[in-house]
Amino acid sequence: EKNFIKVRRLRKILLLFVMIGIGFMIIEISLFQKLILYVGTPTISLSILLFALLTGMGLGSGMRERIIKIENYQRLKTICTLIILYGLIVFFFGQFLFRYLLLLNQYFVIAIMILLIMPLGILLGFLFPSLVSLLKENKLDIYIPWMYGINASTSVLGSVAAYSLSMLIGFTGAFFIGLLFYFFFALLINSKRVLLL
């Protein structure tokens, strides 16, 4: 019976890792395509996006323990809500902002882009290490390396999904679907029944 409960816990936590892996890549690629419109070259756009997101995620991961205690994962619901709201701000407000900044110095525009995107990276950086702590809390430490691999694999699937969705419904529609993964993540993390805590 204990093994059965452990498998159920693992399966449901696995679903959370899959959601953030796919959701992150869809959001990242959608933002990348938008940035190309304003920067002009894929190389610079990718450099801006990766620097802002990865730096932000590193900061978010480091700040996580001060904000989200192991016994209080309900705060992850708030983090997901902020990801959705701020993601919409970056995606829609950003395109209006950058239209007015195009005539200014390119370095200034790049700095504004980084400052706008980095808080999104900070919020995204909370989730993965929180799930790793959740595995430790449920005495599932042995599966942590597997979750790293699964998260990486779903990131690859997420990139394929992003381009497939963009051909069907456009990058704006794909971005919304990426945010939906975080919405469903919030629903699951908010349910003690789902996580069996």
Side-chain angles (χ1 to χ4, degrees):
E1 184 178 355
K2 287 183 179 180
N3 288 334
F4 176 72
I5 293 175
K6 182 178 288 190
V7 169
R8 289 187 64 187
R9 285 179 175 175
L10 182 64
R11 184 177 59 192
K12 291 162 185 176
I13 295 175
L14 169 63
L15 181 59
L16 295 174
F17 276 99
V18 170
M19 283 182 177
I20 62 174
I22 296 177
F24 172 77
M25 286 306 300
I26 293 176
I27 289 173
E28 181 181 35
I29 291 174
S30 300
L31 286 175
F32 170 61
Q33 292 297 324
K34 283 292 184 180
L35 283 180
I36 291 177
L37 296 175
Y38 303 106
V39 178
T41 64
T43 303
I44 297 177
S45 300
L46 185 61
S47 300
I48 294 170
L49 185 63
L50 290 181
F51 175 79
L53 281 181
L54 297 182
T55 302
M57 291 178 76
L59 293 172
S61 179
M63 295 163 52
R64 178 193 62 85
E65 291 186 356
R66 301 176 187 175
I67 297 175
I68 301 173
K69 303 299 181 183
I70 291 179
E71 66 275 6
N72 189 9
Y73 279 90
Q74 300 303 310
R75 292 187 184 180
L76 286 177
K77 180 185 178 183
T78 303
I79 296 297
C80 288
T81 303
L82 291 174
I83 287 173
I84 294 170
L85 293 176
Y86 193 77
L88 293 173
I89 291 172
V90 170
F91 198 78
F92 291 108
F93 173 72
Q95 63 185 354
F96 292 109
L97 175 64
F98 296 143
R99 286 176 187 173
Y100 292 104
L101 296 178
L102 285 177
L103 298 177
L104 300 178
N105 182 279
Q106 186 180 29
Y107 294 107
F108 178 76
V109 175
I110 290 174
I112 295 297
M113 288 179 175
I114 291 173
L115 291 175
L116 184 64
I117 296 172
M118 192 175 292
L120 179 62
I122 292 174
L123 293 170
L124 292 169
F126 281 99
L127 301 182
F128 186 87
S130 297
L131 291 182
V132 171
S133 295
L134 189 60
L135 286 172
K136 293 179 180 179
E137 182 185 0
N138 286 276
K139 298 180 172 57
L140 297 170
D141 308 57
I142 190 174
Y143 298 106
I144 290 176
W146 284 95
M147 295 305 163
Y148 275 93
I150 288 169
N151 185 258
S153 300
T154 54
S155 296
V156 176
L157 292 175
S159 63
V160 175
Y163 282 109
S164 300
L165 288 169
S166 67
M167 289 187 289
L168 294 173
I169 57 177
F171 282 102
T172 299
F175 183 81
F176 276 110
I177 291 178
L179 292 181
L180 270 180
F181 279 91
Y182 289 92
F183 173 75
F184 290 122
F185 181 99
L187 292 181
L188 287 179
I189 203 73
N190 191 47
S191 172
K192 292 185 178 180
R193 180 182 177 187
V194 169
L195 293 178
L196 293 177
L197 294 176

